[in-house]
Amino acid sequence: MTQGKMGLTKQYLAYKPVSSFNIIASSRANISFISVNNVDGRYVVVAAAEKVIVWNMRIGEKVAEFTRDKQEVTFLRASPDHKHLAVGYADGVVEMFSFESKQSVCSFAAHRSAVSALNFDLLGLKLASGGLDNDVVVSDVVAQTGKCRLTGHSAPITQVCFMQRYHDVIVTSSKDTQIKFWNVETHCCFKTIVDHRTEVWGIVLMRNDDFLVCGSADTQLSVYRIAPNTEESKPIQATEEQLLVEESTVSPFRCTAIGSIQRAGHGRTINLVADGNGQVLGCHGTDKKIELFYFAPVDEAVKKLTKRMKKLNTKKSTDTETQTEVDVRQLSLTDEIKRLSPILTSDKVKSFDLLLGSRSELRICCTFVKNFIELFSLDMDVKKAEPVSLHSIHKQGHPSEARSVSFSSDNLAIASGSAESLKLWNRSSQTVLRTIDTSGYVVSTCFVPGDRHVLVGLKSGELLIVDIVAGDELERIEAHEKEIWSIVLTPDMHGCVTGGGDMTVKFWSFELIANPERPDLKVLSLLHKNTLKLEETVLCVKISANGKYIAVALLDTTVKIFFLDSHKFYLSLYGHKLPVLTMDISYDSSLIVTGSADRTIKIWGMDFGDCHRSLLAHDNTVTALQFIPNTHMFFSCGKDGKLKQWDADNFQKIVTLPGHLGEAHALAISPNGKYVVSCGSDRTLRLFHRTDEPLVLQDVQEEEREELENATLATGEESAVPGLPGLQLPSKKTIGSEKGAENILECLEVSKQYEQEGAKGPLPPLMFAYSATNTDDFLLTVLSRIRASDLEESLLLLPFSAVCELLERIPKLTITRKDQTELICKVVLFLFRVHQKPIVSNQVLLPVIQKIIHTLQEAICELRDMIGMNFHASQMLQRELEENDGCVLFRDATKLRVQRDRRRKRREASKRTLVNITK
């Protein structure tokens, strides 16, 4: 790595992340079908650690990626029009992405912990989110702000659903065993179901809100019928007390338990999923099975009931209307619900989604614990049809966590090993070149000189020689009796050394032997030369570059250094409190660095074994470290997931790179020092490359300090207002809201000072930076630049004196800037609602309030008249153009509404979405 001198300050080059790969689908978040270019049934969207990936299941390739900050994705939901994707993260933020631009449209800082449920309403205008903080937040997608926060559950939310038939009604389930019905307009819970004794893990509304199906910790699904709360729907044999209770309720419907569905699977219900129209229900438990149920339309259920009655020789009535009414009343769950063939999977299902096409083809896409996706198809018209597996994506990643990584000598290939396989990756494209089944747990890997073979050390003690070109295992050697924790090449590149859990270090040389199948060809093999026996388990082995020493890390927390040629003892490095798991020797054989489970890294001199410095490096066990070639700088990673760069000369930390979401297991640096790859428990391989951007240590330390300060809110977590102790805003306080409040206060102060000087002379620098020529434009620019979801929290942080000053400027703003009437109304209404008591009791503000009311009413009337005139003028122009040219130029909004209503009614009648599934 090139280094320069800039005065007395040492200059470094920055490493930047290239990409993360190996992960196909995270097990924490769900999977969802989406429509791309009006093609359904082919594309799915999944979470991959902190990224969101769109996969084309037919060709098994990535179509798009959505990324935010380094936070894990916990839930996904596509909007009904398939134009936007709502993504919930572990920090409680809900981000809205556009499928067209692949960019974030808006962000809702809704929850104080991870988002656990998301759902859109029928038109996609409202978004309900549930979190692990026990709250439900309803957000307005169009206005990009929160509408309300619903608090009442005493445990994390598991599912949130909008009702289609009853507007502004939300159904929520929670681990507190309760199901609640909420009215979004009144922010009240008007009905609670407390029938369950265990956690409710999922709820689904079926057949246009006719049924509510709930899954809990037992093997049964509870079914409730939802019926309008009218006089006709009252039970005939109801007591007077029941009628009084029914009349006193504010619920527009009745929700009565009508039975349960017995699941064939074992364990608790993990997921309940319905198709878009609520006709097919899927569920799975802790086993390898997805059960499917078909909810038949009313006419099909009546036919089935009639057939059943005929079999029972039931007398038929002559009056057909009476017969139909009796049949509907006598319908049972067996008539309305049909059990479909279950899907038997090869592994435990983590999540799945359903899509029902117009030709009765049901598609089921599943994600599994072992990091793969599979697409199934089921023809519902065929009796007793069995599900068929169409496509799967599994070769693009390891089924389990990668535990070992290494670079080839030409810097072009990366080898990674997991519990069952070895994969070779192309470094530039991050694609899989070869997959070799190892039939064992890989704990160490190493490229053989020439990069045609890889040595693989297994947990069982076997040493594998793998031919990369053929993708085959050449030889399996019983090298050690226990784990092979370390494989290193000798400096002369003629052999290798392995360290095992059987307390031995073995020396091997490379040999070419005749192929038993083809004697004319020779294949690589290993010849055992020598064995160094020790008194403790060997955890790591390293050889100095000058070929003089071999260092062995033992389980007794010491590092023993021996002469490589004679195997005689040279030095013992002791000082760690826990075993040394990783170490490396510098290129000039002058330094050895050790990383231990006691979270420290120690830098030692090779000459006398003296400890130069002990660094508290990570918050947890140090799992891997390696020197950058030809330098005294090294990288380390630990179980805290962080990847750090250090300078062994001045004992300084250079930079902390964005690491893994879980533990980091191993890292490798390319021979040219330009690339670093690491693997971790989040199942990702993360690649970093060295840029030409200079890095000054003091600047990096200052940036890290600022990030730490920004992570903690200066005003605290709670949104408190005097006189309003129970204030529950649909947003949470963020850094953006604090900065917004600071900008408003600064704007008011600068404007006041500028006006006191007579508003003459040069503009203040801040006004000039905002391109504002007067104080009114300055204030509106500051307000409009605050993110819509942060505006309320920013206004809430303002002191009352600033609120009064802001309100005094409103009348003039309303008159001069009528194009910003909506923003001004939003600010005024929120301030009035929050500071009602002090504003009303302040006599000085009375004329200001009267003026605000008068000017705002005029501005709103003018805006409404302008919109109405433009709307009707557009209609008139449309009619004239249609009469003259015979072509349609504008789409009438009212026609669209009528068409939408017709489509919805048709969908309710047919009970089948017209989805053309593409093969």
Side-chain angles (χ1 to χ4, degrees), residues 441-453:
Y441 201 111
V442 179
V443 290
S444 56
T445 53
C446 179
F447 275 89
V448 175
D451 296 333
R452 291 177 58 88
H453 302 84

Side-chain angles (χ1 to χ4, degrees), residues 571-598:
L571 282 173
S572 179
L573 311 179
Y574 53 90
H576 284 288
K577 295 177 182 176
L578 289 172
V580 174
L581 301 180
T582 178
M583 62 182 176
D584 198 14
I585 301 173
S586 63
Y587 73 101
D588 55 3
S589 305
S590 62
L591 295 175
I592 179 170
V593 180
T594 58
S596 167
D598 61 5

Side-chain angles (χ1 to χ4, degrees), residues 65-265:
E65 277 188 7
F66 304 95
T67 53
R68 183 185 158 250
D69 295 336
K70 195 155 184 63
Q71 290 291 338
E72 188 177 7
V73 178
T74 56
F75 208 88
L76 302 166
R77 184 70 70 186
S79 62
D81 57 2
H82 293 283
K83 290 184 179 178
H84 295 95
L85 177 70
V87 183
Y89 290 90
D91 60 348
V93 173
V94 178
E95 199 90 16
M96 290 277 291
F97 293 96
S98 168
F99 281 116
E100 186 178 351
S101 64
K102 311 290 187 299
Q103 299 295 321
S104 173
V105 178
C106 64
S107 177
F108 303 105
H111 298 277
R112 291 167 180 81
S113 55
V115 178
S116 57
L118 285 172
N119 230 323
F120 284 92
D121 66 346
L122 187 63
L123 301 177
L125 303 179
K126 294 191 192 77
L127 175 67
S129 61
L132 299 183
D133 57 357
N134 311 347
D135 291 347
V136 177
V137 175
V138 182
S139 305
D140 190 328
V141 176
V142 179
Q144 299 183 3
T145 57
K147 282 180 68 72
C148 62
R149 181 182 293 272
L150 308 175
T151 57
H153 284 290
S154 58
I157 309 298
T158 54
Q159 190 55 272
V160 178
C161 298
F162 274 96
M163 297 191 77
Q164 296 183 11
R165 195 183 300 173
Y166 304 95
H167 297 293
D168 292 328
V169 176
I170 290 178
V171 192
T172 61
S173 64
S174 169
K175 290 185 183 179
D176 62 2
T177 74
Q178 296 180 355
I179 299 169
K180 290 181 180 288
F181 293 81
W182 306 81
N183 189 316
V184 176
E185 292 301 319
T186 60
H187 307 177
C188 291
C189 171
F190 60 85
K191 185 185 280 290
T192 303
I193 298 175
V194 291
D195 296 349
H196 299 88
R197 295 190 177 185
T198 54
E199 299 95 341
V200 180
W201 290 98
I203 54 171
V204 169
L205 291 166
M206 301 298 297
R207 215 175 73 181
N208 193 28
D209 300 346
D210 282 344
F211 298 99
L212 174 68
V213 184
C214 316
S216 58
D218 53 20
T219 57
Q220 290 185 338
L221 303 178
S222 306
V223 183
Y224 296 83
R225 189 185 296 278
I226 298 174
N229 203 4
T230 58
E231 290 296 329
E232 292 79 8
S233 65
K234 302 274 187 200
I236 299 172
Q237 297 176 344
T239 63
E240 188 177 347
E241 185 181 351
Q242 286 176 328
L243 288 173
L244 285 172
V245 172
E246 201 66 46
E247 288 170 1
S248 65
T249 186
V250 293
S251 173
F253 51 81
R254 291 185 301 109
C255 187
T256 53
I258 57 170
S260 61
I261 304 172
Q262 181 63 46
R263 286 175 40 233

Side-chain angles (χ1 to χ4, degrees), residues 32 58 142 374 387 406 410 451 498 569 640 786 817 829 867:
S32 179
R58 188 167 66 88
V142 179
E374 194 163 1
S406 56
D410 58 4
D451 296 333
T498 59
F569 177 75
D640 58 356
I786 300 173
R817 292 294 301 271
L829 290 174
I867 292 171

Side-chain angles (χ1 to χ4, degrees), residues 257-326:
I258 57 170
S260 61
I261 304 172
Q262 181 63 46
R263 286 175 40 233
H266 302 293
R268 70 169 179 88
T269 303
I270 292 180
N271 276 324
L272 274 182
V273 179
D275 71 300
N277 203 43
Q279 278 192 277
V280 180
L281 170 70
C283 72
H284 75 89
T286 55
D287 53 357
K288 305 175 183 179
K289 182 187 292 184
I290 297 176
E291 298 177 68
L292 301 171
F293 304 93
Y294 174 64
F295 283 70
V298 178
D299 51 352
E300 281 187 34
V302 169
K303 287 180 183 177
K304 194 172 180 181
L305 175 63
T306 307
K307 191 182 291 185
R308 186 162 60 87
M309 288 295 191
K310 283 181 181 178
K311 287 183 179 179
L312 294 173
N313 298 322
T314 308
K315 295 180 181 180
K316 290 191 289 181
S317 172
T318 53
D319 189 357
T320 56
E321 292 182 2
T322 312
Q323 178 66 28
T324 305
E325 186 182 350
V326 171

Side-chain angles (χ1 to χ4, degrees), residues 464-477:
L464 271 59
I465 305 174
V466 175
D467 188 341
I468 298 174
V469 180
D472 290 333
E473 175 189 319
L474 290 181
E475 190 177 359
R476 185 178 289 256
I477 303 168

